[in-house]
Amino acid sequence: MSNKVLLLEDEINVGSTVKDRLLLEGFGLDWAQSLAQAKEYLASSNYDLAILDVQLPDGSGFDMGRFIRDRHPTTAVIFLTAAGSPEDRIHGLELGAEDYITKPFHFKELLLRVKKVLERALYTREPRNAEVRIGKGLVRFHQYQIEVEGKTHTLTHKECALLKLLYERRGQVVSRDDILNIVWSENEYPTPRTIDNFVLRLRKLLEPSPDDPSLIRSVRGVGYTLETSL
Amino acid sequence: MASGEIVKKPDRKVKWMIFTHLFWVTTIVVLILWWGRLLSQQGEEIARLQLQLGENASQVQSRLDRTQMMIAGESGTFLFLIVLTNAILLVLFLRDKKRSKSIQAFFASLTHELRTPLTSIRLQAETLRDIEDDPKHQPFIHRLLQDVERLEGQVQRSLELARLEGGGILNLQPIPIKSFIQKQVIASFEGSEQRIVIKSNIEDAVVWADTSALTIIFRNMIDNAVKYSKDTPARVYLQGSLPSPQATHYELNLVHQNSHLEHVPADLGELFSRGSNSTGAGVGLYLIKTLVEKMRGNIEFYTDNGAFTHQIRLEVDREQ
């Protein structure tokens, strides 16, 4: 089954070309030209990815990003916008976007990044409907959720992909290079400290005692390991 | 996302300016009131001494009243002028701030208005390139794409300059420089060997930088190499290393051989200063210099036997 993409772009020439080319690449795609139209599409279909412009006639694409994060956490988000200042990029990524692409862009670059985000989403969600217990949490990868002591927490796509990677290789040391290749995009430059921050959040949710982690252990200079005794 | 560090917060600067200004005004007003009171007391003291010396009481009182009125009038005028001057300054400051906000809003809208059609032209040209089977048409499409790229570069330079001059910020974060150069610089020129050949020897380190700023810096330096090279393709050598294991700054050299730029003008890197009389707007190197300095680094230019070097130093993140 092809991946389903929602494109939110109000500029006719840009929107129609991106739509035609993504359809030629084999993606299923709906094209909305306003926030209201995008919400209608989201209400009637599930999307693997939303590509969002920011400056729209009836509001900001950032609001749509927030809406998707809250209501449709399984849909990954890429912002595709002329707003390229550091403040805008930070804002977009803080909203949980998987990627932030500024116009003008190369179509091949967009395609590459779309594929990378979808590969990661597919990797994280399969097998569907599976629940696994890790530490204090009951993890539903396909829903990007962890249930801890009766409370449900939503994970970002990157947090979920990182946890899935550690879970699949439990008992083994997962190197930082593997984490970077699988969890992060080509154009991102996370440092060891960035990965540590993601691990910290996972520890807070899963470890019985986050200050003295026994579940996700750091292996100095190499990477991380998830203990087999879950 | 990576933990970032925002450089320059205009709002904090404005608050600090207003605080300093209010402190200055309050100090001046308190001093005027204090001096006024002091002078008034001095006048009363003099009148008391004059009475003790046996002068006419009504004349003493009259002189004292005139002195007191003069002190009150002059202090009041001085106070009024101080308050008026500050009110005028405040109005001018607020008007200037409003105008600056309007200019920023104008550039934000201009950014959108320029980038959107450029995106569309690029998309249509790339689509033509990808679907056109007739090889005779490809050179035209290739030239169209080259000119779109030139225009994109010029637009990006102008808008970034306007953004920075308007108090725009950078998001400094630790960047693994070797990986960045390989992915964002060298990879982006693959397939352009007829125009430029890049060789590199980059030692790895983590530096404090803004990814967009770094991309603009490299793109500008390489555009310069192509523009000012006597060779086709232009030959560029990128070399990066830590001068010593304890060095606080990473040193990056971009050298292009056989350059038209045979000497470095003293003002190179200043706004509108051009290395050559015939080409360029004098914005590129100024933008590079401004961005490097905002990333707490520095840049120098020099020539040697026809080779032109941009030498950039960027702060190393020692915590990684």
Side-chain angles (χ1 to χ4, degrees):
Chain A
M1 199 179 84
S2 68
N3 285 295
K4 200 149 184 206
V5 177
L6 173 66
L7 172 66
L8 174 56
E9 171 64 66
D10 65 320
E11 292 291 331
I12 307 287
N13 290 348
V14 176
S16 54
T17 315
V18 171
K19 178 193 146 202
D20 290 344
R21 297 213 61 179
L22 286 177
L23 285 173
L24 275 173
E25 294 291 333
F27 295 95
L29 187 139
D30 286 321
W31 174 25
Q33 292 177 45
S34 64
L35 291 180
Q37 204 182 352
K39 282 185 181 171
E40 282 173 26
Y41 278 125
L42 282 164
S44 56
S45 278
N46 288 320
Y47 294 93
D48 299 294
L49 170 68
I51 302 174
L52 308 178
D53 188 9
V54 170
Q55 286 153 299
L56 294 155
D58 56 344
S60 163
F62 287 139
D63 293 337
M64 179 51 70
R66 195 176 293 114
F67 177 82
I68 290 174
R69 185 192 62 190
D70 295 343
R71 308 273 185 89
H72 305 270
T74 59
T75 304
V77 168
I78 293 179
F79 285 111
L80 183 65
T81 170
S85 72
E87 300 97 314
D88 292 321
R89 284 203 314 273
I90 293 165
H91 187 46
L93 293 169
E94 278 176 352
L95 285 173
E98 289 293 289
D99 214 334
Y100 194 101
I101 304 172
T102 35
K103 294 173 180 172
F105 57 90
H106 294 263
F107 179 76
K108 282 183 180 163
E109 189 188 354
L110 170 69
L111 187 63
L112 204 72
R113 298 208 203 170
V114 163
K115 284 180 175 168
K116 177 83 184 178
V117 168
L118 288 170
E119 267 172 29
R120 188 161 59 222
L122 187 71
Y123 165 78
T124 311
R125 291 200 298 246
E126 295 296 334
R128 288 181 185 253
N129 305 321
E131 281 185 346
V132 291
R133 176 155 292 282
I134 305 177
K136 289 192 301 179
L138 186 64
V139 185
R140 290 185 281 271
F141 288 113
H142 59 290
Q143 291 176 329
Y144 298 88
Q145 284 178 346
I146 296 185
E147 196 180 308
V148 183
E149 292 157 0
K151 197 176 170 195
T152 303
H153 302 265
T154 303
L155 296 176
T156 66
H157 284 237
K158 281 197 180 76
E159 286 166 350
C160 207
L162 174 59
L163 184 58
K164 178 80 182 285
L165 179 64
L166 294 172
Y167 174 72
E168 278 192 343
R169 300 194 195 171
R170 53 195 181 275
Q172 302 168 34
V173 178
V174 183
S175 71
R176 288 183 193 277
D177 284 346
D178 280 356
I179 293 174
L180 292 181
N181 288 335
I182 293 170
V183 179
W184 268 269
S185 305
E186 278 288 300
N187 63 316
E188 292 174 293
Y189 301 93
T191 58
R193 206 190 300 158
T194 316
I195 302 173
D196 291 344
N197 288 338
F198 276 77
V199 169
L200 202 67
R201 156 122 161 112
L202 293 176
R203 278 178 178 152
K204 276 184 183 162
L205 289 169
L206 300 170
E207 295 273 1
S209 171
D211 294 335
D212 181 24
S214 57
L215 190 67
I216 305 174
R217 285 196 302 107
S218 307
V219 181
R220 197 175 165 77
V222 185
Y224 292 95
T225 183
L226 183 71
E227 286 301 312
T228 43
S229 51
L230 307 174
Chain B
M1 62 169 287
S3 53
E5 182 182 330
I6 300 290
V7 174
K8 196 179 182 185
K9 294 185 175 167
D11 282 343
R12 190 189 285 180
K13 261 182 93 174
V14 169
K15 276 182 195 163
W16 177 242
M17 209 203 84
I18 289 175
F19 172 77
T20 316
H21 191 74
L22 280 176
F23 176 74
W24 181 78
V25 171
T26 314
T27 311
I28 293 286
V29 167
V30 168
L31 279 177
I32 291 169
L33 291 173
W34 170 245
W35 287 333
R37 187 174 152 72
L38 208 65
L39 284 172
S40 175
Q41 282 175 345
Q42 292 289 324
E44 283 169 9
E45 185 63 23
I46 290 167
R48 196 177 57 78
L49 289 172
Q50 284 171 339
L51 283 175
Q52 279 179 4
L53 288 171
E55 282 199 32
N56 182 298
S58 65
Q59 283 179 352
V60 169
Q61 187 59 45
S62 162
R63 272 204 302 271
L64 178 61
D65 289 346
R66 276 205 309 276
T67 307
Q68 298 283 35
M69 269 180 66
M70 194 183 75
I71 290 169
E74 286 177 5
S75 304
T77 310
F78 194 34
L79 260 177
F80 173 73
L81 285 175
I82 289 281
V83 171
L84 183 71
T85 311
N86 279 285
I88 291 170
L89 280 177
L90 194 66
V91 168
L92 289 177
F93 170 75
L94 291 174
R95 193 185 291 174
D96 189 52
K97 197 159 161 49
K98 197 177 164 189
R99 189 176 299 165
S100 155
K101 268 191 174 175
S102 307
I103 291 172
Q104 275 177 332
F106 167 72
F107 274 107
S109 128
L110 189 67
T111 304
H112 186 254
E113 293 309 318
L114 286 174
R115 282 187 170 157
T116 304
L118 270 176
T119 305
S120 179
I121 298 169
R122 171 179 277 289
L123 272 174
Q124 318 309 326
E126 283 182 348
T127 306
L128 275 177
R129 180 194 60 197
D130 296 345
I131 62 172
E132 179 57 60
D133 292 330
D134 190 342
K136 279 190 290 184
H137 295 162
Q138 285 296 336
F140 300 106
I141 301 168
H142 182 67
R143 281 174 222 149
L144 173 62
L145 278 167
Q146 267 190 349
D147 282 342
V148 168
E149 202 155 301
R150 264 181 68 186
L151 193 56
E152 278 173 11
Q154 195 57 48
V155 166
Q156 189 185 36
R157 275 192 287 276
S158 308
L159 292 176
E160 184 65 11
L161 185 63
R163 194 183 71 79
L164 291 174
E165 295 292 309
I169 60 158
L170 294 184
N171 176 32
L172 296 194
Q173 55 181 318
I175 307 268
I177 192 73
K178 187 174 182 177
S179 153
F180 180 90
I181 289 174
Q182 278 165 349
K183 286 190 207 168
Q184 297 293 321
V185 183
I186 295 172
S188 69
F189 283 93
E190 277 170 10
S192 308
E193 288 80 8
Q194 287 180 328
R195 201 162 65 96
I196 187 157
V197 174
I198 302 177
K199 288 189 176 168
S200 66
N201 179 15
I202 305 291
E203 188 183 294
D204 206 8
V206 177
V207 298
W208 280 102
D210 172 290
T211 51
S212 286
L214 264 191
T215 308
I216 293 171
I217 288 168
F218 279 110
R219 186 174 176 160
N220 272 289
M221 290 197 297
I222 291 172
D223 279 353
N224 274 344
V226 173
K227 196 187 292 176
Y228 295 112
S229 177
K230 290 177 185 167
D231 300 328
T232 308
R235 287 173 294 141
V236 167
Y237 179 59
L238 256 172
Q239 185 270 330
S241 60
L242 275 170
S244 71
Q246 285 77 36
T248 56
H249 284 72
Y250 184 86
E251 204 170 275
L252 196 65
N253 293 294
L254 186 141
V255 186
H256 65 93
Q257 307 292 338
N258 218 3
S259 171
H260 281 294
L261 299 168
E262 283 161 3
H263 70 281
V264 178
D267 61 349
L268 195 65
E270 299 302 316
L271 188 58
F272 305 132
S273 159
R274 299 186 300 175
S276 144
N277 287 331
S278 55
T279 56
V283 166
L285 286 180
Y286 172 73
L287 185 59
I288 293 176
K289 191 167 177 258
T290 308
L291 288 170
V292 168
E293 285 170 0
K294 277 189 179 262
M295 295 193 297
R296 302 193 290 254
N298 60 60
I299 184 166
E300 284 175 26
F301 313 102
Y302 54 88
T303 56
D304 183 24
N305 285 330
F308 185 89
T309 302
H310 307 71
Q311 187 175 74
I312 293 177
R313 290 184 199 85
L314 295 170
E315 192 178 297
V316 176
D317 181 18
R318 286 269 159 219
E319 288 182 31
Q320 298 295 330

